């Protein structure tokens, strides 16, 4: 009988994300259940990004990271605790059309203008992150435009 023990996720873990075309995307674990997706796309699993240049940072379900479908290839510790936090995200109340920002676990009222350029707060499934890496932006509509 094989063990199905799930691995503990650590801040700074870098995950290899298999892409449909055989290449690999990469993501680094941040605080607040977030993952930073690197701009760099590797030709093979060890062809890892050399710098911390991200194309986007979003929330991700823990089961995606714990499942093993995206293996951890290394850990890149953050130089300080502040660096480990994802940037602020925008929350839009669909009923009242009011805006807020979410940052470090706290909500703060905001204006539409303050939300321009921020990621919309959401938790993403694996396939939606892969679609976005591959250039399919249908899961990332920008209601601020």
């Amino acid at each position: 009988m094989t063990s199905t023990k799930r691995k503990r996720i650590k801040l700074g873990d870098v995950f290899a994300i298999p892409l449909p075309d055989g290449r690999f995307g990469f993501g680094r674990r941040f605080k607040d259940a977030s993952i930073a997706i690197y701009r760099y796309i590797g030709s093979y699993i060890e062809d890892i990004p050399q710098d911390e240049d991200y194309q986007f940072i979003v929330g991700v379900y823990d089961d995606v990271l714990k499942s093993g479908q995206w293996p951890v290839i290394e850990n890149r510790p953050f130089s300080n605790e502040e660096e480990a936090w994802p940037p602020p995200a925008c929350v839009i109340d669909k009923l009242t059309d009011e805006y807020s920002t979410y940052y470090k676990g706290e909500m703060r009222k905001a204006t539409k203008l303050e939300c321009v350029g921020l990621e919309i707060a959401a938790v993403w499934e694996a396939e939606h992150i892969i679609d976005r890496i591959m250039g399919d932006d249908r899961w990332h509509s920008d209601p601020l435009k």
Side-chain angles (χ1 to χ4, degrees):
M1 181 184 224
T2 12
S3 170
T4 57
K5 185 177 178 185
R6 292 181 174 218
K7 195 175 169 189
R8 193 169 93 83
I9 302 166
K10 294 184 232 125
L11 287 179
D13 278 352
V14 176
F15 295 84
I17 304 168
L19 301 175
D21 64 2
R23 297 179 304 159
F24 288 86
F26 300 92
R28 184 179 183 205
R29 180 56 172 219
F30 274 60
K31 287 184 173 195
D32 237 0
S34 295
I35 191 165
I37 302 300
Y38 289 90
R39 272 185 214 292
Y40 185 79
I41 304 292
S43 300
Y44 49 93
I45 198 167
E46 295 88 8
D47 184 14
I48 61 176
Q50 297 304 306
D51 56 29
E52 306 311 311
D53 182 22
Y54 308 117
Q55 60 174 304
F56 59 91
I57 300 173
V58 293
V60 63
Y61 287 106
D62 272 353
D63 65 328
V64 170
L65 303 181
K66 290 179 179 179
S67 70
Q69 65 181 332
W70 296 355
V72 175
I73 53 169
E74 69 177 8
N75 184 279
R76 294 182 178 179
F78 291 95
S79 58
N80 60 58
E81 185 176 343
E82 190 65 28
E83 187 183 279
W85 285 99
C90 177
V91 177
I92 305 168
D93 184 318
K94 296 289 185 188
L95 297 175
T96 64
D97 203 32
E98 291 179 343
Y99 292 79
S100 301
T101 56
Y102 177 81
Y103 184 54
K104 294 183 178 179
E106 296 185 16
M107 296 282 283
R108 179 184 69 77
K109 286 189 180 240
T111 65
K112 184 175 181 176
L113 189 58
E114 288 174 298
C115 286
V116 171
L118 299 182
E119 196 65 53
I120 301 299
V123 182
W124 292 49
E125 290 284 2
E127 61 268 21
H128 302 151
I129 292 173
I130 291 169
D131 285 347
R132 190 159 168 197
I133 292 170
M134 297 299 294
D136 180 349
D137 222 10
R138 72 180 144 182
W139 308 111
H140 178 246
S141 61
D142 187 352
L144 301 173
K145 287 184 178 179

